[in-house]
Amino acid sequence: MEYIKQRLSAIYGESEAQKIWTGLRGKLLKAKQTHHKERKQRWDEKDVVLITYSDQFQEEGKPTLATFEKVFDRYLADNFEIVHLLPFYPYSSDDGFSVMDYKKVNPIAGDWGDIEKLSKKTRIMFDYVCNHISAKSDWFKEYIKGNPEYADFFTEMDQDTDLSAVTRPRPTPVLTKFKLEDGTEKYIWTTFSEDQIDLNFKNPFVLLKMIDVLLFYVEHGAEYIRLDAVGFMWKEVGSTCIHLEKTHQIIKLFRDIVEEVAKGTVIITETNVPHEDNISYFGNGSDEAHMVYQFPLPPLVLYTINRGNGSALTQWARNIQPAGDETTFFNFLASHDGIGLNPIRGIIPEEEILALVSELKEEGAKVNYKKNPDNTQSPYEINVTYLDALNKRSDDDDLRMKRFLSAHSILLSLQGVPAIYIQSILGSRNDYDGVAKTGMNRSINRQKYRLEEIEAELTKPSTLRSKIYRELTNIIQIRKAEHLFHPDVPMEVLEKGEKIFALTRGTDSRESLTIIHNIANEPVDVELSGEFINLMTGEDLIFINTVTLDPYQFLWLKSSN
């Protein structure tokens, strides 16, 4: 374990690291002796992730995890090898991301027995909300009381400190004023909201506490661990306070720990930032995150289908460098958050981004804004279900479904591990009642369902939900059965004209996939010759010179050489 001690010294210096090393070493030795669920090593084509809330489905008088398990068994288990349970801990705001107690399950959801039961049926991704904690947590309450053990757990700052260089993901102030029980007023660092208090990782005992949480999650079955808002963990006045070197060192330490204690546990960083900053969390390819979110993908696919032009997506995808032998991309189109815009700044001209935002607002989408250093505001994310983002309110369901399935074909065919949000496989529309109820734009894409209501829609063949569920399930099943979709199989993006997004997957000319998407609302001819098997239908096809694709049609073709 000497290398872990060296990592601690790189963060704090040898003297400070020594203060917590004995305690940490004891925790690690104990964790190694604990029986852990056997973990899959690495990933393959069968790994498709479901993103969901633990209270997504509800029945009267029953814990929501038990109800989720029913839905999972009946409709989802064959599709998804991994379930990302969004924060299922007691919380005070932000639908779970303001955690009051890291080691408890929200009583509405159930208890650790329900988590264990689900983990026997699927692999589970836990959210590790490591940057901040609820203002209503015991930790912060003890700070307010003046408990000396918690005196340095949070970042106090003079209210007049120049923090203009700090990267702001929200329009709210960096500092929030709190009054301690002794009457003293303190200004505390709050990156996201006044209810989400940033932890002070400059205090090594804070890190020790959070490592204890990390080990607790591993012990309780977490096979994937998502590091929420991780880029903001370390603060240095005068800097942007995002992506700082000490933040990278802490993530590397987390990876060191999970590989020491339970090898096969996957660390995923959530950093909604431009591509170059995002992939920096791969480290050297073997010492930091195993996966990073592919954040440009959701807005790029949306922009591509909205404009009927694949040039930007093609150019971006052609320039993606392979993740490496020990890392891969976590691909997604929709999540519990909005569709982030920062990752495509520099890929799409700003005027085009603003035009897209304006058009989507006209069609009913909501928008969240960020505060810039000059006190102006820019759109930060679009809040909308992905189904409604791709379509106008006047479109018919047939067109709506074609666009939606084409977008998900892109997601499922790219190199990496794909993740699908629960609202997407359910074919959900914008939830304006949810927005009105909570006052939060993000509620538009966070609708919860009574079990009997969602089952009635899924089992009625004529509903849009049922059609999307069946069609998307079919695509997922075909993907999982084809070894050439393994995340490590090379990808080459092809130039086939602005109305086409096309790529190949394969290791040699004898066996490969050719995947072609018409992303326009008109028929398009594509140059293509050869003998293929259509993976969607199983039929043999021969093309000489060209193939014509209908609007939004896509083909998954396997060479039959």
Side-chain angles (χ1 to χ4, degrees), residues 14-33:
E14 191 170 342
S15 176
E16 286 295 300
Q18 190 61 44
K19 292 179 181 179
I20 65 168
W21 172 240
T22 301
L24 176 56
R25 185 173 183 275
K27 289 178 184 293
L28 295 178
L29 288 172
K30 182 178 178 181
K32 286 186 70 172
Q33 293 166 2

Side-chain angles (χ1 to χ4, degrees), residues 45-278:
E45 67 278 2
K46 293 179 174 58
D47 290 328
V48 181
V49 181
L50 174 70
I51 305 169
T52 185
Y53 284 99
S54 61
D55 63 346
Q56 188 64 58
F57 306 108
Q58 300 170 1
E59 291 178 280
E60 192 69 36
K62 294 187 178 179
T64 58
L65 278 168
T67 305
F68 173 79
E69 187 180 350
K70 287 183 185 177
V71 177
F72 184 75
D73 289 345
R74 294 171 187 173
Y75 303 100
L76 303 169
D78 290 341
N79 291 340
F80 300 104
E81 302 292 316
I82 303 142
V83 174
H84 172 197
L85 282 180
L86 291 157
F88 49 82
Y89 326 110
Y91 67 94
S92 54
S93 63
D94 199 17
D95 276 353
F97 285 92
S98 187
V99 179
M100 294 169 62
D101 192 322
Y102 291 113
K103 292 187 176 183
K104 290 182 179 177
V105 176
N106 189 336
I108 293 171
D111 56 31
W112 284 110
D114 294 296
I115 297 291
E116 182 181 1
K117 189 176 177 186
L118 184 62
S119 72
K120 292 178 180 178
K121 297 184 175 184
T122 185
R123 293 140 68 205
I124 301 181
M125 182 193 300
F126 284 28
D127 257 296
Y128 181 37
V129 187
C130 51
N131 177 72
H132 49 262
I133 195 168
S134 169
K136 297 174 180 63
S137 66
D138 286 344
W139 293 9
F140 195 64
K141 287 177 181 177
E142 289 300 312
Y143 167 81
I144 293 293
K145 290 177 183 177
N147 183 338
E149 182 182 344
Y150 293 86
D152 197 27
F153 261 52
F154 309 98
T155 302
E156 300 174 0
M157 196 72 59
D158 187 290
Q159 64 174 314
D160 296 323
T161 304
D162 181 4
L163 300 176
S164 59
V166 174
T167 298
R168 299 298 300 122
R170 302 284 185 273
T172 53
V174 178
L175 303 178
T176 299
K177 183 172 69 174
F178 291 92
K179 180 177 285 189
L180 277 59
E181 281 193 359
D182 65 4
T184 306
E185 290 185 342
K186 297 287 186 180
Y187 285 82
I188 308 297
W189 201 294
T190 54
T191 296
F192 291 94
S193 79
E194 63 183 12
D195 188 45
Q196 293 166 299
I197 316 298
D198 287 48
L199 295 163
N200 178 20
F201 281 94
K202 287 187 175 180
N203 177 355
F205 289 98
V206 169
L207 179 63
L208 186 62
K209 275 267 199 181
M210 292 306 290
I211 290 172
D212 183 60
V213 173
L214 178 65
L215 293 172
F216 181 84
Y217 290 168
V218 171
E219 180 183 345
H220 282 78
E223 296 191 54
Y224 279 47
I225 296 175
R226 174 186 183 270
L227 307 185
D228 175 66
V230 69
F232 297 94
M233 280 200 303
W234 197 271
K235 282 80 174 171
E236 293 289 352
V237 173
S239 77
T240 60
C241 297
I242 187 172
H243 315 314
L244 299 186
E245 176 56 28
K246 294 293 181 72
T247 291
H248 284 284
Q249 289 294 335
I250 292 172
I251 297 167
K252 291 176 181 182
L253 177 66
F254 290 161
R255 174 162 174 166
D256 290 342
I257 287 170
V258 298
E259 295 204 339
E260 179 73 25
V261 169
K263 192 168 178 61
T265 305
V266 174
I267 295 289
I268 305 177
T269 51
E270 186 264 336
T271 48
N272 192 351
V273 294
H275 185 70
E276 289 305 314
D277 291 324
N278 191 33

Side-chain angles (χ1 to χ4, degrees), residues 364-465:
K366 304 294 183 180
V367 180
N368 280 333
Y369 292 84
K370 69 181 181 74
K371 187 175 181 180
N372 300 319
D374 61 0
N375 287 322
T376 61
Q377 291 189 351
S378 300
Y380 170 75
E381 65 176 16
I382 305 168
N383 303 113
V384 61
T385 67
Y386 213 78
L387 180 61
D388 280 337
L390 291 167
N391 295 280
K392 299 182 183 300
R393 283 180 282 197
S394 59
D395 291 335
D396 61 47
D397 282 353
D398 183 59
L399 182 60
R400 185 171 279 113
M401 189 163 71
K402 285 179 180 177
R403 288 188 179 128
F404 188 74
L405 293 175
S406 184
H408 281 80
S409 170
I410 294 172
L411 166 68
L412 289 161
S413 58
L414 289 175
Q415 192 172 22
V417 171
I420 295 177
Y421 186 39
I422 188 69
Q423 306 293 353
S424 293
I425 197 159
L426 295 180
S428 298
R429 308 294 301 277
N430 289 338
D431 181 18
Y432 296 108
D433 289 342
V435 175
K437 182 179 179 180
T438 66
M440 291 172 50
N441 287 346
R442 286 178 170 179
S443 296
I444 202 168
N445 194 26
R446 296 180 177 182
Q447 188 174 359
K448 310 296 170 63
Y449 303 98
R450 300 294 301 172
L451 177 63
E452 62 272 16
E453 294 171 354
I454 197 67
E455 286 203 305
E457 288 194 69
L458 288 176
T459 54
K460 188 176 181 181
S462 61
T463 66
L464 180 61
R465 281 197 195 280

